[in-house]
Amino acid sequence: MAKKLAALDVNKCIGCMGCMFACSRRVGRGGFDKSAIGVRSAGGIERGFVIIVCRACENPPCTKVCPTGALRERKEGVGVILNEDKCIGCGFCAQSCILGAIFWDNEKNKPIVCKYCGECEDYCVHNAIGMVEIKTGA
Amino acid sequence: MLMKAKDMNRVLYIDLTKKDIKIEDRGDLFDAYLGGSGVAIKLLEEECRSGIDPLSADNPIIFAVGPLTALFPSASKTVAMFKSPLTGNLGESHCGGRSAMAIKLAGYGAIVLKGSSDIPIYLAIHGDEVKFGDASSIWGMDAVTVGRILREVEKGAGVRTIIRIGRAGERQVRYACAVCETYRHFGRLGLGAVMGSKKLKALIVSADKSVEIPKDKRKEYKKVYDEIHDVVVKTDAMEKYHDLGTSGKIYDLNKIGGMAYKNLKSASAPEEIARELSGENFAEMFLSRRVSCSHCPIGCVHLASLRELYEPGYYFKTTTISYDNEPIWATGFMLGMKSAEDCLMLIDAVDKVGMDVMSTGVILAWATEAYEKGIITMEHTDGLEFHWGDVNVYSEAITKIVEMPTEFYQNLAKGSEYASSVYGGQDYALAFGGNEMPEYHTGIACYLNNLTGARHSHLDSAGYDLDQKLIGKEFTIEEVVKELLKEEEWRQILSSLVVCFFARKVYSAEAITKALNAIGVENGTAEKLDDLGRDIHRAKMDFKFREGFNLSKLRIPKRIFEVPTPHGFLKEEDIRKGIEVYGEMIGR
């Protein structure tokens, strides 16, 4: 069964950014410029936080606007995968994602999309995010 | 943008007079002193001439972070250093929020502010881009509103810090603080007043970089990271600081009779008050959210939600107020509040103007007792009748301290040491080394800590903790002083790495050495860390003595000898002896 990362309970998020740091740590970075997940306050910390991550939508708008076929749906049926070699960095995918879940790699001038690897989950000690199974073809 | 480890040694110098900047590589300082307190005291030595007026353009402000910031959990503090307008010597204040992460990932190990602006300004530091903004239209605003406005006009949402002052800073109240992310503070010793004297309303720093771990170190880095992370989330820190937060210890401290109540007329509040002001009650009645500093999984920050009817006709307002052990004590216990709600209202009033809440509580407690004893009259107070537990009068007094309508309030704005030197009542003016006391009346160690600590802060050497460990045990004064000094020296390492003291048990000498090695920062052994801690501590003391600090002239308010501690009554001769022993140990 395919899995994806999901915001399980945004009310449990304490805004520590542990997930963002974990995502960039995968590639040997201390920071979040390679992160495919974002957390920010919902307009003042008192209102809580917003967790932004690819929700692996059905019929994803981002793949529809990709002019080169670099960004396409995964074979598993949901979620997207990027072929960096084909990507020309036009940014249409990021514009099409109204969740803001396509992040941008300024060094490469290419999108950063969640690979649903679940690395960040291990560092969310308050269980605000986690991997969930997704049913395909439902 | 990518940074190598060496880029973390960059220091951004900002001249507020000339509105000019320069960036220098100070690898020399970071290699020798790690970061945080260690580097900041060296920069202070370089930038702060002897004998300068702390509220003049000559006083520098230094913000410093550490080598582990953004790379390991809970290395999440920023150290601010300056000459304190409250004590006239070392000013050092620590704050979390997003400040450390933002400064580090903007590409700096430290930021030095010099000079003074001719007009109100704010600084926007977005990575390498430094902008001087006209703050005339936000001058005079409270600390909460300023944050709200700058959040909209400046970029970097989610990855920035906004450090600002309220009216108290602008008016140079000597214990004004700088507020960070609305709910965190560079509290003690008057950083806010120094910012105000420079007409610097706010400082925004946003991240645009990341640090590259050398390829051959990545595996090791990940391994050490996981080990440290594991310990952070599995030690008692998580339970202690996340569940009830720092206020979790209030009830027990009161129960053992170690908690100053009503200007230390006694060392414990009545049972029903202690229950009302306990961390348990705050959580049950008002806790609305727990949040954390950047890159710290603990989440000790506790936010209360207070709903008040403020006008008839169903006009309600809901205010979010951050609470901790110290603010609850300073407003609730020290000023004799009867309800948690009143306590929150007072904390909110202090936060809006941007003053150190501990100093404010102690100063108002002194004023209340002085008023009771008749040395302060309504003429002084501009018509206010000070008495314990009156939230409205205290709220008005807070505004008056800031606006200073009479000479009395001008004097209160200079701290309790100064005000009591003018009006008398020094026996119950609870300042130590010029800084207002924390809550603890636990024994000799807490007072030796207050008197000899470089910042006169309970966090310098945690004397309150030592006192509690020593209950029921035999000990000598020499042993106590030795223990305090050892603790304070070790804490210099933690604050140079800007590791939060709540994670102090995680960052043992062994763990620190491993962590530094894993990111390719050259460092020595555990023994060398001990030596370095001592060197940094002595450098801070050197600065204090250079600016006139004198161990033999320390004033000890008589009040602390009149009320028993959990160890019984304290004796002045014992404390004087402790100070003397301390002096010998540091070669003074």
Side-chain angles (χ1 to χ4, degrees):
Chain A
M1 191 81 76
K3 285 188 168 185
K4 68 166 181 177
L5 187 82
L8 301 177
D9 186 350
V10 75
N11 288 311
K12 287 186 178 166
C13 178
I14 59 166
C16 71
M17 308 169 111
C19 54
M20 297 165 70
F21 280 104
C23 194
S24 284
R25 198 159 54 244
R26 288 174 309 122
V27 291
R29 297 283 176 105
F32 19 75
D33 62 350
K34 297 283 180 182
S35 299
I37 184 166
V39 173
R40 58 169 171 78
S41 82
I45 293 162
E46 62 278 4
R47 293 186 185 157
F49 297 94
V50 180
I51 302 171
I52 306 156
V53 67
C54 174
R55 67 185 293 263
C57 27
E58 280 183 47
N59 300 316
C62 55
T63 57
K64 289 181 209 161
V65 297
C66 179
T68 64
L71 195 64
R72 55 179 174 75
E73 289 186 61
R74 287 198 299 178
K75 285 199 186 89
E76 293 88 337
V78 279
V80 296
I81 189 162
L82 177 74
N83 180 342
E84 284 195 357
D85 291 348
K86 286 188 177 180
C87 175
I88 55 169
C90 66
F92 292 165
C93 53
Q95 286 172 37
S96 75
C97 179
I98 60 171
L99 304 175
I102 294 193
F103 296 82
W104 204 255
D105 186 331
N106 288 318
E107 272 171 69
K108 289 183 179 172
N109 194 36
K110 287 178 199 289
I112 303 170
V113 289
C114 180
K115 294 182 168 69
Y116 324 106
C117 69
E119 177 77 10
C120 54
E121 179 192 25
D122 294 341
Y123 301 92
C124 182
V125 294
H126 301 284
N127 301 315
I129 54 167
M131 295 295 282
V132 293
E133 290 190 347
I134 29 177
K135 290 178 192 136
T136 50
Chain B
M1 208 187 291
L2 195 56
M3 282 194 290
K4 303 281 182 200
K6 67 174 168 56
D7 299 330
M8 299 190 261
N9 301 332
R10 294 199 319 166
V11 175
L12 170 63
Y13 293 85
I14 302 177
D15 188 326
L16 298 171
T17 308
K18 295 180 182 159
K19 320 279 185 299
D20 194 12
I21 69 155
K22 65 172 179 183
I23 296 168
E24 274 183 28
D25 183 295
R26 294 306 305 269
D28 55 328
L29 294 184
F30 285 91
D31 287 349
Y33 300 99
L34 298 170
S37 297
V39 167
I41 186 63
K42 291 291 148 187
L43 287 168
L44 191 68
E45 279 171 11
E46 289 177 10
E47 303 294 340
C48 184
R49 280 183 295 107
S50 178
I52 55 123
D53 173 0
L55 295 174
S56 72
D58 293 332
N59 195 7
I61 297 173
I62 292 139
F63 293 104
V65 298
L68 305 184
T69 303
L71 291 170
F72 285 98
S74 310
S76 45
K77 293 274 185 177
T78 301
V79 169
M81 257 195 218
F82 46 95
K83 180 172 173 179
S84 166
L86 184 64
T87 63
N89 56 64
L90 180 72
E92 180 183 349
S93 182
H94 304 173
C95 182
R98 300 208 185 292
S99 61
M101 171 278 292
I103 292 171
K104 175 71 164 271
L105 297 180
Y108 306 107
I111 298 173
V112 177
L113 307 176
K114 302 197 281 189
S116 178
S117 176
D118 50 347
I119 58 159
I121 54 163
Y122 73 91
L123 285 168
I125 302 165
H126 301 298
D128 291 350
E129 173 198 333
V130 181
K131 190 176 88 183
F132 294 85
D134 187 339
S136 301
S137 48
I138 51 173
W139 195 253
M141 276 183 184
D142 71 72
V144 179
T145 311
V146 166
R148 211 170 279 158
I149 289 165
L150 292 178
R151 214 153 59 205
E152 299 292 320
V153 296
E154 289 295 333
K155 60 186 177 186
V159 294
R160 68 185 167 193
T161 185
I162 306 180
I163 302 166
R164 67 271 196 174
I165 56 170
R167 279 289 285 160
E170 293 177 10
R171 302 277 297 156
Q172 300 174 30
V173 173
R174 301 292 200 270
Y175 40 94
C177 64
V179 181
C180 177
E181 281 62 281
T182 313
Y183 303 113
R184 300 286 89 194
H185 311 85
F186 286 97
R188 315 231 63 191
L189 301 171
L191 176 63
V194 181
M195 282 177 69
S197 74
K198 296 183 177 309
K199 289 205 172 67
L200 177 62
K201 183 69 178 172
L203 173 79
I204 297 155
V205 186
S206 71
D208 70 343
K209 298 182 180 66
S210 73
V211 185
E212 186 179 38
I213 306 298
K215 273 211 170 74
D216 60 329
K217 289 279 182 189
R218 284 182 193 172
K219 228 174 150 182
E220 186 190 344
Y221 166 58
K222 173 102 171 53
K223 187 174 157 270
V224 178
Y225 185 98
D226 286 349
E227 281 171 19
I228 289 176
H229 186 268
D230 228 40
V231 184
V232 176
V233 301
K234 282 176 188 156
T235 54
D236 62 344
M238 203 68 182
E239 201 186 318
K240 195 167 153 192
Y241 298 114
H242 184 67
D243 285 6
L244 288 174
T246 54
S247 58
K249 65 181 176 183
I250 286 176
Y251 182 80
D252 289 339
L253 190 67
N254 190 72
K255 191 141 191 121
I256 63 163
M259 182 82 136
Y261 181 61
K262 289 186 178 171
N263 205 37
L264 193 54
K265 285 182 167 194
S266 87
S268 64
E271 175 66 16
E272 70 274 16
I273 298 288
R275 280 193 191 284
E276 173 68 23
L277 301 181
S278 67
E280 289 81 355
N281 191 49
F282 270 84
E284 276 164 32
M285 300 295 292
F286 299 105
L287 180 60
S288 62
R289 193 174 291 284
R290 288 174 291 188
V291 300
S292 78
C293 298
S294 295
H295 215 159
C296 177
I298 297 173
C300 74
V301 184
H302 282 53
L303 302 181
S305 197
L306 179 66
R307 180 174 178 256
E308 295 166 84
L309 178 71
Y310 69 99
E311 218 177 86
Y314 304 109
Y315 285 100
F316 288 99
K317 65 170 180 179
T318 303
T319 316
T320 306
I321 302 152
S322 77
Y323 68 86
D324 265 295
N325 166 45
E326 288 84 0
I328 292 175
W329 164 74
T331 57
F333 285 77
M334 212 48 175
L335 298 175
M337 291 296 136
K338 289 182 193 70
S339 74
E341 190 173 339
D342 285 353
C343 203
L344 284 171
M345 283 164 73
L346 218 47
I347 294 172
D348 191 42
V350 177
D351 267 354
K352 281 201 174 110
V353 298
M355 297 199 294
D356 178 75
V357 68
M358 295 163 76
S359 285
T360 307
V362 173
I363 287 160
L364 288 174
W366 170 81
T368 306
E369 191 167 342
Y371 186 85
E372 274 183 347
K373 291 195 157 70
I375 63 171
I376 297 300
T377 65
M378 246 202 276
E379 230 166 89
H380 294 104
T381 65
D382 197 26
L384 292 185
E385 260 183 275
F386 284 112
H387 58 86
W388 309 110
D390 193 331
V391 65
N392 294 323
V393 166
Y394 288 130
S395 297
E396 280 187 60
I398 287 162
T399 309
K400 286 182 193 291
I401 289 174
V402 174
E403 299 306 331
M404 306 177 203
T406 63
E407 201 183 302
F408 173 67
Y409 289 104
Q410 285 171 23
N411 292 331
L412 281 194
K414 290 179 181 164
S416 48
E417 185 78 43
Y418 184 84
S420 65
S421 76
V422 175
Y423 302 101
Q426 288 228 309
D427 290 351
Y428 50 89
L430 296 165
F432 296 82
N435 192 20
E436 283 70 25
M437 75 177 280
E439 72 215 62
Y440 307 100
H441 187 64
T442 44
I444 191 171
C446 77
Y447 287 110
L448 283 172
N449 170 159
N450 294 349
L451 288 157
T452 63
R455 301 184 289 151
H456 307 287
S457 153
H458 59 295
L459 296 172
D460 282 334
S461 47
Y464 63 96
D465 196 36
L466 181 59
D467 278 331
Q468 291 174 72
K469 283 179 187 149
L470 289 174
I471 290 176
K473 291 190 182 130
E474 297 247 324
F475 57 87
T476 65
I477 293 169
E478 284 80 2
E479 283 165 354
V480 168
V481 175
K482 203 174 158 195
E483 200 55 43
L484 289 174
L485 186 57
K486 194 175 133 209
E487 183 68 24
E488 186 166 6
E489 287 169 359
W490 176 247
R491 285 183 179 219
Q492 303 314 310
I493 296 298
L494 297 177
S495 60
S496 296
L497 295 167
V498 298
V499 164
C500 177
F501 290 162
F502 294 170
R504 63 186 177 274
K505 289 180 189 161
V506 179
Y507 284 93
S508 61
E510 194 200 347
I512 290 169
T513 312
K514 267 187 174 176
L516 288 171
N517 280 334
I519 54 169
V521 175
E522 195 64 36
N523 87 103
T525 57
E527 199 182 35
K528 273 195 182 156
L529 286 177
D530 280 342
D531 289 345
L532 181 59
R534 188 166 51 248
D535 289 349
I536 294 168
H537 176 258
R538 296 304 187 273
K540 282 163 65 168
M541 293 314 285
D542 286 348
F543 183 86
K544 283 178 79 74
F545 279 90
R546 192 192 85 180
E547 296 302 321
F549 179 69
N550 189 332
L551 286 169
S552 61
K553 286 193 181 148
L554 280 166
R555 184 180 69 82
I556 308 176
K558 297 257 180 319
R559 174 58 47 84
I560 70 167
F561 306 114
E562 296 164 0
V563 178
T565 72
H567 289 276
F569 284 100
L570 298 174
K571 290 192 208 104
E572 176 154 6
E573 70 228 46
D574 289 347
I575 293 189
R576 291 280 174 209
K577 165 106 191 286
I579 294 170
E580 208 183 299
V581 172
Y582 176 85
E584 281 162 18
M585 282 184 186
I586 64 162
R588 291 281 178 176

